[in-house]
Amino acid sequence: GDSVTQMEGPVTLSEEAFLTINCTYTATGYPSLFWYVQYPGEGLQLLLKATKADDKGSNKGFEATYRKETTSFHLEKGSVQVSDSAVYFCALMGGAQKLVFGQGTRLTINP
Amino acid sequence: DTGVSQDPRHKITKRGQNVTFRCDPISEHNRLYWYRQTLGQGPEFLTYFQNEAQLEKSRLLSDRFSAERPKGSFSTLEIQRTEQGDSAMYLCASSPERQRNTEAFFGQGTRLTVV
């Protein structure tokens, strides 16, 4: 079945550092790919998405590119802020029309 | 507020009791999903509806769990004879049918604690 694998956390960075959170997936067909974010005490929010190969999703300075050849959707940000501290989830939606999530990566940004 | 609404936000119950959670999706969203999230893990799919039809149930959903969406609007998730292992955050999400593979919008969740 479909699956998503994220880099294990937690990840701790200093403010203004470069961020990469790796995500790879296994799916049949052509899934859509997503990054969701969960801030402390809040629900899951969509951060960005990409629906086909080579698409780049972007939002709030975060970017991820749908790489079909490497089945990856790595999340990047050039300069993180303390307010980016949260748990980040990579997810896919394929032919079964349900979201499949990775295990999440907890990110902490220190001032 | 036109987002996904879940009630209650928190529920503490004694082992063996029944509990019921409610989810109100975004208006006109045909698809409604239930997920369960335990500490340090990603959300796990439980079941989903398209309108009032329950299209898929996860193997995680034991016979003690039942979900309904009687009029294709709000949904309820009932857990009978709760066990300590049922303690988790239960998440509801909805999405429009008109687009395939589109994102789902999540509610704040119901945190269940079984003591």
Side-chain angles (χ1 to χ4, degrees), chain A residues 32 36 43 49 97-99, chain B residues 33 35 56 101 103-104 108:
Chain A
S32 292
Y36 280 82
K49 69 177 182 181
Q97 295 303 296
K98 64 185 181 188
L99 280 167
Chain B
Y33 302 84
Y35 286 80
E56 185 175 346
N101 294 8
E103 68 269 27
Q108 297 278 63

Side-chain angles (χ1 to χ4, degrees), chain A residues 26-98:
Chain A
T26 302
T28 55
Y30 303 94
S32 292
L33 301 175
F34 307 91
W35 279 98
Y36 280 82
V37 59
Q38 191 169 35
Y39 297 103
E42 298 187 17
L44 281 165
Q45 302 174 25
L46 178 68
L47 179 61
L48 54 84
K49 69 177 182 181
T51 58
K52 61 184 187 296
D54 299 326
D55 269 3
K56 178 185 285 188
S58 61
N59 186 25
K60 299 182 180 180
F62 290 90
E63 295 182 339
T65 301
Y66 189 142
R67 300 288 189 199
K68 189 166 178 62
E69 64 276 13
T70 54
T71 61
S72 65
F73 193 55
H74 305 321
L75 183 68
E76 297 182 335
K77 187 174 185 181
S79 177
V80 292
Q81 306 299 315
V82 172
S83 57
D84 295 326
S85 297
V87 182
Y88 292 80
F89 294 94
C90 186
L92 69 81
M93 183 174 287
Q97 295 303 296
K98 64 185 181 188

Side-chain angles (χ1 to χ4, degrees), chain B residues 65-83:
Chain B
F65 288 70
S66 63
E68 295 182 344
R69 193 182 184 198
K71 297 182 180 179
S73 57
F74 73 92
S75 176
T76 57
L77 177 68
E78 181 182 17
I79 308 174
Q80 296 182 328
R81 305 181 302 282
T82 52
E83 302 173 356

